Amino acid sequence: MAGDIVEIVLRAVCVLAAFLVLPLLVGQTEHKVMAHMQGRLGPMEAGGFHGWAQLVADGIKFSQKEDIVPLAADKRVFRIAPALGIVSYLFALAVIPLGPHTVGADVPGSLVWVLAVGGIGTVGTLMAGWGSGNKYSLLGGLRTAAQLVSYELPLILACASFAIAAGSLSLVGIAHAWTPWWLLWQLPGALVFLVAATAELQRPPFDMPVADSELVMGPYTEYTGLRFALFLLAEYAGIVVMSLLLGVLYLGGWTGPFDHQIGWLWTLLKGAIFAVLIIWIRVAWPRLREDQLQRVAWLGLVPLALLQLAITAIGVVVTSR
Amino acid sequence: MTKFLSGLAKGMATTARTMTTHAHTQQYPHVKPELPSRSRGVIALLEENCTSCMLCARECPDWCIYIDSHKETTPPTTEGGRARQHNVLDRFAIDFSLCMYCGICIEVCPFDALFWSPEFEYSTTDIRDLLQEKETLGQWMPTVPAPEPLVPELPQTEAQQLVVDVEPEDDPAAGRTTKRGAGEVPRPGTEEQP
């Protein structure tokens, strides 16, 4: 019994450590990749070597700022909102496997779990928009809601395609069932997942909710200091979760040469590919207008995801005969 | 639709290409910029050349040059000669908080006492400290670059020859170019005409 508790605590600490380190790595990668894509160098001073400690310095700066709650705000909702956003991705990260046994919590229906807790983060953003007592925040929050309702559907449909192809709702099971044929067979589903995940994270080009020229900073307008930093951390944790998820679903997770020894490295590497892709998309593409955003979801991604679902279903029926 | 997709692909390609090329950033405090010799950084004063004629102070559009001087009498060197008077510069100051770097003072100086220097790191924490006296102005003299050849592609001597060929007598442009650093560039025409 005591051994179980120790193991649970150890696993939780490991997940928490990954949760705190990986988003910083993604953030630093974004700083550097975006800078070089724009002909700049990015942070070069903090920490000495190529500004490696820039995000640590940012965090220290945020923690020193005054914690301001607007007078008109719904104070408790305003305070809880950032925690909700960040906890959802922490829960999601806990069940994403790095290897067949390297997983924070081995849940049977881990894919369902990830999709379910991923929705909680949305509620956090909605609460931030509503609780700020600011019209820009409210508009941003409503845009967030509209966007996430639209893109949750293709995201779930794409995930369903992977689950049907593998015949399992467990991420470990899906990665075990993976074959190189999936690269072709599940390609539309992966594209849908990537676009929907980027939209889900409200990253450019899908950052209508925080469109700074119209809505100041959307739901985050009134936030400052650590609470704002938590929202930022949640965004980058979201990239980590979505990238690792797509790496496990579409690229087979730990599958690769020497995967008995360095399987976890393969998963991280495959996740990193998608993280860089999400950063790259942000740099290269212009922001969508609000109506274009909805068009892409309902007229582009949903039919494509349904098509993928049909292809997968036919494929499974034909091959299992 | 194809135009839309090809546009997206082009955006990805452009950013990828930019990432592989060198960044344009100059890491200024660590790496000093290489400024062209015509840079208008600061105005340096060659005190020995100044005759306190006040032309620069009068022409200055925002009156940022302060000159104080007095006359001194040199006794005659020979018996029965005449005592001569000359100006002694007491104070020459440029207020760089007012200066708009037009360079008229440098253009107008008939005795080549003022020069452009590319030196630019003289900011201060107090606006009053930007009033630079002649000692400081003189310290910038070593940073004044040698004048560029009149025609950059040609070697120095050929460039001068070209000026002589075009206009031997009163070309205002030729006259102005000789103004900068009269020690290095001989006045056009003087070589040929005795």
Side-chain angles (χ1 to χ4, degrees):
Chain A
M1 189 63 204
D4 283 355
I5 292 174
V6 167
E7 191 191 332
I8 288 169
V9 168
L10 261 177
R11 280 170 184 267
V13 166
C14 285
V15 169
L16 191 65
F19 184 75
L20 292 177
V21 171
L22 291 179
L24 291 189
L25 280 179
V26 172
Q28 184 72 9
T29 312
E30 178 175 69
H31 267 319
K32 282 299 184 183
V33 168
M34 185 153 71
H36 282 279
M37 281 180 170
Q38 296 170 342
R40 301 180 288 114
L41 288 174
M44 289 295 282
E45 300 296 325
F49 181 75
H50 286 262
W52 66 270
Q54 182 60 48
L55 289 170
V56 180
D58 284 348
I60 293 171
K61 186 197 79 172
F62 277 128
S63 67
Q64 288 170 341
K65 287 196 172 185
E66 188 187 353
D67 182 26
I68 298 171
V69 179
L71 208 62
D74 188 338
K75 296 193 175 48
R76 183 176 294 172
V77 174
F78 183 84
R79 287 208 180 93
I80 294 173
L84 229 67
I86 204 149
V87 157
S88 72
Y89 287 122
L90 180 62
F91 285 169
L93 194 67
V95 298
I96 292 182
L98 294 184
H101 306 293
T102 322
V103 54
D106 201 357
V107 185
S110 44
L111 182 61
V112 178
W113 168 262
V114 168
L115 293 174
V117 293
I120 300 178
T122 315
V123 181
T125 316
L126 266 175
M127 281 165 65
W130 179 256
S132 293
N134 178 319
K135 60 184 174 186
Y136 297 117
S137 301
L138 182 57
L139 281 172
L142 291 178
R143 278 188 180 187
T144 309
Q147 177 167 334
L148 294 173
V149 165
S150 307
Y151 281 90
E152 196 79 33
L153 184 60
L155 190 75
I156 289 173
L157 288 176
C159 286
S161 158
F162 290 115
I164 292 173
S168 164
L169 278 175
S170 150
L171 288 171
V172 179
I174 292 174
H176 270 308
W178 184 83
T179 57
W181 279 110
W182 284 36
L183 293 178
L184 199 65
W185 187 33
Q186 299 293 330
L187 180 64
L191 287 177
V192 168
F193 185 101
L194 185 67
V195 174
T198 315
E200 193 94 331
L201 299 167
Q202 299 162 37
R203 300 264 307 165
F206 302 101
D207 62 337
M208 261 343 262
V210 292
D212 51 333
S213 49
E214 304 162 17
L215 297 180
V216 193
M217 190 65 188
Y220 317 127
T221 303
E222 296 290 350
Y223 281 90
T224 178
L226 264 184
R227 285 178 210 283
F228 184 70
L230 285 183
F231 274 122
L232 281 185
L233 185 63
E235 182 182 336
Y236 288 96
I239 300 177
V240 170
V241 167
M242 291 300 184
S243 305
L244 285 177
L245 195 58
L246 192 50
V248 170
L249 291 176
Y250 178 58
L251 293 183
W254 56 86
T255 317
F258 310 110
D259 52 3
H260 286 295
Q261 287 84 36
I262 54 162
W264 57 275
L265 198 64
W266 284 116
T267 314
L268 287 180
L269 205 68
K270 288 165 179 172
I273 292 171
F274 289 115
V276 168
L277 198 59
I278 288 174
I279 293 168
W280 192 2
I281 288 173
R282 173 188 177 166
V283 180
W285 294 352
R287 173 189 290 153
L288 270 75
R289 217 167 48 214
E290 185 64 25
D291 60 314
Q292 294 170 333
L293 199 94
Q294 299 294 338
R295 279 182 78 85
V296 167
W298 293 106
L299 299 183
L301 294 187
V302 171
L304 198 60
L306 287 173
L307 183 73
Q308 171 68 68
L309 211 57
I311 294 172
T312 309
I314 293 169
V316 166
V317 170
V318 167
T319 52
S320 64
R321 189 170 285 176
Chain B
M1 191 62 190
T2 46
K3 200 177 173 187
F4 170 71
L5 288 178
S6 73
L8 292 185
K10 203 186 253 177
M12 300 285 267
T14 305
T15 43
R17 211 179 313 117
T18 312
M19 189 166 74
T20 51
T21 53
H22 266 285
H24 312 299
T25 310
Q26 293 186 4
Q27 294 205 272
Y28 158 58
H30 308 299
V31 181
K32 301 288 178 195
E34 278 187 32
L35 295 169
S37 60
R38 64 179 181 279
S39 303
R40 297 182 167 208
V42 75
I43 296 165
L45 170 71
L46 185 58
E47 200 185 331
E48 296 78 44
N49 281 7
C50 181
T51 61
S52 323
C53 70
M54 299 289 288
L55 281 178
C56 53
R58 284 157 169 266
E59 293 294 335
C60 179
D62 42 15
W63 295 85
C64 70
I65 302 181
Y66 304 92
I67 299 177
D68 290 338
S69 65
H70 65 275
K71 276 195 191 327
E72 279 186 7
T73 308
T74 316
T77 47
T78 53
E79 194 70 29
R82 183 167 65 87
R84 290 177 181 273
Q85 285 186 322
H86 60 95
N87 288 334
V88 175
L89 189 64
D90 295 324
R91 181 186 185 222
F92 190 105
I94 299 178
D95 191 345
F96 284 104
S97 67
L98 294 176
C99 178
M100 57 185 197
Y101 300 86
C102 65
I104 289 176
C105 53
I106 296 165
E107 298 288 321
V108 86
C109 179
F111 303 106
D112 287 335
L114 293 172
F115 297 93
W116 278 120
S117 157
E119 172 65 33
F120 62 94
E121 292 170 312
Y122 53 94
S123 59
T124 60
T125 50
D126 192 321
I127 193 169
R128 287 166 294 188
D129 296 337
L130 281 170
L131 179 63
Q132 305 286 9
E133 298 293 334
K134 69 179 182 206
E135 290 75 23
T136 325
L137 297 176
Q139 278 168 11
W140 281 317
M141 266 317 287
T143 64
V144 174
E148 282 179 35
L150 299 177
V151 181
E153 304 88 73
L154 299 175
Q156 184 99 11
T157 49
E158 277 184 62
Q160 286 158 11
Q161 194 67 43
L162 200 70
V163 173
V164 170
D165 289 346
V166 169
E167 181 52 65
E169 280 301 322
D170 48 1
D171 176 15
R176 187 160 70 243
T177 48
T178 56
K179 197 207 149 280
R180 291 184 60 188
E184 290 88 349
V185 183
R187 189 174 292 276
T190 48
E191 300 143 356
E192 278 80 7
Q193 295 164 1

